[in-house]
Amino acid sequence: MSRSVAIVGGGLAGLSAAVALAERGFAVTVIESRPRLGGRASSFSDPSTGQLIDACQHVSMGCCTNLMHFCKTVGVDRFLKDQPRLWFMTPDGRISVFKADPWPAPFHLGRALASAHYLTAMDKLRIGYGFCRLLCESPDADPPLLPWLQRHHQNARCIDRFWGVILTSALNETVDRIGMKYARKVFRDGFTRHRDGFTVQVPSVPLARLYGDELRAYLSARGVTILENTGVKAIDPASLPIAITFRDGRTLTADDVILAVPFDRVRDLLPPALADQPPFANIAKLQPSPITSVHLWFDRPLLDRPHIVLVDCLGQWIFNRGEMNPGEHYVQVVVSAARPLRGQGRDEIQRLIVQELQRLFPGPAKLLRAKVVTEQTATFSAVPGIDAFRPEQATPVANLYLAGDWTQTGWPATMEGAVISGYRAAEAVLRQHGFAEDLVQSALS
Ligand SMILES: Cc1cc2nc3c(=O)[nH]c(=O)nc-3n(C[C@H](O)[C@H](O)[C@H](O)COP(=O)(O)OP(=O)(O)OC[C@H]3O[C@@H](n4cnc5c(N)ncnc54)[C@H](O)[C@@H]3O)c2cc1C
């Protein structure tokens, strides 16, 4: 009889572990408290139209090789569309195009940086110097980034308009709070390792569709049981097989259990004495960082590009999703590291964003309706030394594993990190049963 694996959490971490283990003959059950899969990378149904709207626009990048592998495996990679150019706009409405030249990395983006209208020639030299120095740092060094940037001749404009613009979106944290390790990784993997690393990929369908029909068909063809609307209350790893108690009182046992829930939920599911021991106790030290997305429907097109990166603005990215319903043009504005918005009501956030858009895109477009969504625990905050608190996927407890973007992945909190964690958890399960297999994909090089 095949061994049973219960995966608690149907986000990308749990789903990628499920795909990997089901392919290798394990009897997998995915247990998800919500009525849908995808976790944070998912959509809600717009009450006005019934259409699927992403809680927040998600993008990937060319350097995200594990997410791409997962999407190819389940047959949804065609929904990730490359954006070969990015547009950067300043409050005065001026725009610079950022696109690669046909030269090998890292030279492919040199001209794009050199043409940025919002940096002076001297700023660009400073940035080039800081960039080279950053790449020379040890990959594991993780001191606070801001003092390091200042020591390396980065002035306020370089920090706000270059380092801040890229890192706040990539790491969901502000430059004054992040460590060097993941900042370096963003620039190393995204800009220098491979020409395609920086290419932004935007799903052409809502996230619930991206991680929807094909994924379910793939899992069901391999015998995976999916229990939605099924919250787990507790697991007891003291006995084997491991006992899992659902919130409604039902129980299940499994030979192996992968806990793939968000970091702020893990310890509550464990017996208290275990939750207070390492490595589980450290999870309590991870801090959340919020993201706000403002969904706006206008009576006519507001902008004529698929997206715009905003420099020196409250909003950071604008995504233009086009005319989703006749007469309704849908735009989403994302504010990462949205801590400064805390305490401001939804109406005020909407007012500030709409005011900003009206300044940037003056014209006749009228707002029809809006929705502001803030995810308070969107990701963990990539503060200096954060990896000391992120546990490995294999735990000291036999047959109990962890997965999630917050575990040790070598990545910040991203879909890529979530998939790596799922693959690593699956590798650990395989190891436990005497099979050594590398599931994690290599980086672009
Ligand atoms: C607003 C926002 C914007 C983002 N933008 C991007 C982006 O552009 N690009 C990018 O790469 N990443 C982005 N991310 C990060 C990305 O969404 C996450 O890194 C990734 O989806 C995490 O997957 P996960 O499986 O680790 O966790 P989750 O997706 O959180 O999955 C955990 C699952 O566990 C379930 N669960 C919790 N408790 C229980 C329980 N007791 N019983 C059963 N199930 C339970 C939850 O319902 C959830 O489905 C964004 C995140 C947010 C919130």
Side-chain angles (χ1 to χ4, degrees):
M1 209 174 80
S2 60
R3 293 194 61 98
S4 58
V5 181
I7 299 176
V8 184
L12 281 169
L15 293 169
S16 52
V19 163
L21 291 171
E23 265 179 1
R24 286 158 182 82
F26 285 77
V28 177
T29 303
V30 175
I31 309 158
E32 168 55 52
S33 55
R34 296 193 216 180
R36 54 183 170 71
L37 299 177
R40 276 169 276 163
S42 196
S43 319
F44 61 87
S45 177
D46 179 0
S48 310
T49 61
Q51 280 176 328
L52 287 172
I53 301 290
D54 292 343
C56 183
Q57 176 74 58
H58 277 54
V59 303
S60 182
M61 284 173 72
C63 53
C64 298
T65 51
N66 287 277
L67 179 67
M68 182 50 84
H69 177 266
F70 172 76
C71 290
K72 279 189 174 151
T73 304
V74 298
V76 296
D77 51 307
R78 67 185 186 283
F79 294 131
L80 286 177
K81 301 288 183 208
D82 282 354
Q83 306 286 311
R85 60 188 66 196
L86 303 177
W87 290 273
F88 286 74
M89 183 184 247
T90 41
D92 57 6
R94 290 179 65 200
I95 290 184
S96 286
V97 185
F98 195 82
K99 70 178 173 64
D101 280 309
W103 305 326
F107 307 106
H108 62 313
L109 296 173
R111 204 157 60 113
L113 174 64
S115 62
H117 72 269
Y118 47 87
L119 296 165
T120 67
M122 195 57 205
D123 293 341
K124 290 167 192 169
L125 287 176
R126 286 176 191 276
I127 289 167
Y129 170 76
F131 194 88
C132 293
R133 290 299 302 266
L134 184 61
L135 294 180
C136 294
E137 292 287 346
S138 156
D140 291 323
D142 203 14
L145 182 68
L146 183 59
W148 185 94
L149 287 174
Q150 287 164 335
R151 267 199 320 277
H152 290 81
H153 311 294
Q154 305 302 302
N155 61 21
R157 206 171 33 238
C158 297
I159 291 169
D160 292 344
R161 295 184 165 194
F162 177 75
W163 303 99
V165 165
I166 291 167
L167 292 173
T168 305
S169 301
L171 300 180
N172 186 31
E173 194 47 281
T174 46
V175 171
D176 57 323
R177 290 175 57 95
I178 53 183
M180 178 199 282
K181 178 173 180 174
Y182 288 108
R184 183 184 179 280
K185 182 166 181 66
V186 167
F187 288 105
R188 166 104 173 90
D189 288 19
F191 290 67
T192 66
R193 274 184 100 134
H194 192 279
R195 295 183 35 79
D196 297 333
F198 95 104
T199 306
V200 168
Q201 297 163 342
V202 180
S204 58
V205 291
L207 290 163
R209 172 71 192 84
L210 180 66
Y211 307 125
D213 297 347
E214 288 83 355
L215 176 63
R216 281 173 190 281
Y218 184 95
L219 293 173
S220 101
R222 283 154 188 82
V224 175
T225 305
I226 300 174
L227 304 176
E228 284 160 299
N229 286 311
T230 308
V232 167
K233 188 172 163 207
I235 65 158
D236 181 5
S239 58
L240 283 179
I242 294 177
I244 303 165
T245 307
F246 299 157
R247 287 179 193 147
D248 62 10
R250 285 179 298 147
T251 56
L252 179 81
T253 59
D255 297 320
D256 298 277
V257 172
I258 300 177
L259 273 184
V261 297
F263 67 83
D264 56 340
R265 306 288 168 81
V266 182
R267 295 172 71 248
D268 289 346
L269 303 183
L270 298 172
L274 183 61
D276 288 341
Q277 284 172 28
F280 307 105
N282 273 343
I283 301 171
K285 297 183 181 144
L286 299 175
Q287 295 295 318
S289 182
I291 299 180
T292 294
S293 52
V294 182
H295 307 257
L296 302 160
W297 288 267
F298 290 90
D299 66 344
R300 67 197 72 198
L302 187 76
L303 59 157
D304 56 4
R305 292 175 173 86
H307 62 258
I308 289 187
V309 185
L310 297 175
V311 178
D312 275 351
C313 294
L314 175 61
Q316 290 146 5
W317 277 77
I318 308 176
F319 295 96
N320 179 7
R321 302 307 306 223
E323 189 169 13
M324 283 186 63
N325 316 305
E328 285 199 334
H329 298 261
Y330 172 46
V331 165
Q332 197 189 123
V333 181
V334 178
V335 184
S336 296
R339 211 171 286 105
L341 295 179
R342 208 169 264 169
Q344 311 207 31
R346 289 192 190 133
D347 290 350
E348 178 60 4
I349 295 171
Q350 176 186 321
R351 191 186 66 74
L352 292 170
I353 291 290
V354 171
Q355 208 174 51
E356 184 164 87
L357 293 187
Q358 282 164 346
R359 269 199 312 270
L360 292 169
F361 308 100
K366 280 201 180 52
L367 182 67
L368 300 174
R369 59 199 177 91
K371 187 172 175 67
V372 177
V373 179
T374 295
E375 188 72 59
Q376 295 294 351
T377 51
T379 66
F380 68 81
S381 173
V383 294
I386 186 68
D387 279 357
F389 309 128
R390 297 172 74 184
E392 299 285 347
Q393 290 75 26
T395 75
V397 181
N399 305 76
L400 176 66
Y401 313 85
L402 300 171
D405 58 359
W406 50 273
T407 58
Q408 285 285 348
T409 65
W411 275 73
T414 50
M415 296 187 285
E416 171 74 1
V419 173
I420 291 174
S421 77
Y423 285 174
R424 284 196 176 169
E427 285 175 353
V429 173
L430 289 170
R431 258 196 323 274
Q432 172 77 4
H433 299 296
F435 307 103
E437 195 176 339
D438 291 334
L439 301 175
V440 175
Q441 305 299 299
S442 43
L444 287 182
S445 57

